[in-house]
Amino acid sequence: VEERCVISHQFKDNLERQVEQTLLMEKKWTRHIGSTELRHGSFLDPKHHNFLISANKILVNNANDIFGSRSSLEGKPTLDAYIAALFASSEPGTIMVTLYPITGYLGRSIEKENEHRKKRNLQESLDASFFTCEQVNLGTGVVSWSHGKEINVWVYSRVHQSDESGDAYFLCDNIHCDAAQNNVATAAVY
């Protein structure tokens, strides 16, 4: 029976070493993301406005255009339009991921707007738009509700512009407009 005890001690020692190595690896690979605060309520409620625009990472579950035209109450903007306004009010560096594009409410990204300005012989500018947008394909079968369809997300990033206030601006692209010719920026949110 004595040899069984030796084997059990070796097994225990080996197991403890593996646990210790695993814990060291977890510490090495664990990312600390800072504080996370979740709130229950409507993002339309003004009491949440400052909280929402101060977030630096935003995930919008607007899959299948659920916050689009079907979400609109008579005389009110859609929920996607409201989210676009919140994003425009956020700080430069904020990243927002949506499950359905909202560029129809934001306008063109800085890349697309500068391409458009260039075609119209207008000067490219940091103030052409206040965000970048990238469509990312996550693949198929990544969510239970996709039924084998490919899932895309849209990653929006608020960019730093020439005005140090952090406010969001865009430029007019009408070649007959003095503001467009002189790169006079317009506030995205009033």
Side-chain angles (χ1 to χ4, degrees):
V1 180
E2 193 172 297
E3 45 290 331
R4 279 198 208 151
C5 289
V6 170
I7 292 172
S8 68
H9 285 295
Q10 288 176 344
F11 180 78
K12 178 181 168 267
D13 291 343
N14 188 24
L15 184 60
E16 285 175 351
R17 272 194 306 280
Q18 287 179 359
V19 166
E20 197 173 288
Q21 288 174 345
T22 302
L23 291 174
L24 287 173
M25 291 304 289
E26 280 182 9
K27 284 182 184 177
K28 181 179 178 181
W29 295 108
T30 300
R31 292 184 66 192
H32 297 282
I33 59 169
S35 65
T36 301
E37 182 178 343
L38 301 176
R39 289 191 181 183
H40 179 75
S42 171
F43 59 81
L44 298 171
D45 189 331
K47 74 180 179 183
H48 299 301
H49 180 80
N50 288 337
F51 169 75
L52 291 168
I53 65 171
S54 68
N56 60 8
K57 304 289 186 288
I58 303 165
L59 174 62
V60 180
N61 185 0
N62 63 340
N64 299 318
D65 199 24
I66 192 71
F67 290 172
S69 57
R70 325 188 265 183
S71 72
S72 181
L73 299 174
E74 189 174 329
K76 301 278 186 181
T78 66
L79 296 178
D80 276 342
Y82 190 77
I83 288 167
L86 289 172
F87 179 66
S89 299
S90 68
E91 294 292 322
T94 299
I95 296 172
M96 177 175 68
V97 177
T98 67
L99 303 182
Y100 195 84
I102 63 168
T103 45
Y105 302 101
L106 290 172
R108 288 187 277 267
S109 69
I110 192 166
E111 298 91 354
K112 291 192 188 268
E113 187 59 41
N114 275 324
E115 286 174 19
H116 187 69
R117 291 177 65 76
K118 191 174 182 179
K119 288 178 188 174
R120 294 174 155 247
N121 294 320
L122 295 169
Q123 183 180 353
E124 294 182 44
S125 172
L126 285 173
D127 295 328
S129 183
F130 57 93
F131 69 95
T132 63
C133 179
E134 178 185 6
Q135 182 177 343
V136 178
N137 183 300
L138 301 180
T140 57
V142 295
V143 291
S144 61
W145 43 264
S146 71
H147 306 294
K149 294 180 187 174
E150 285 192 345
I151 297 297
N152 293 299
V153 296
W154 286 261
V155 181
Y156 299 89
S157 299
R158 270 279 276 116
V159 297
H160 293 270
Q161 294 180 284
S162 64
D163 184 270
E164 293 182 21
S165 70
D167 293 340
Y169 293 95
F170 63 92
L171 295 175
C172 177
D173 66 352
N174 180 341
I175 58 173
H176 304 293
C177 175
D178 287 338
Q181 294 292 334
N182 297 314
N183 286 336
V184 176
T186 302
V189 179
Y190 296 103

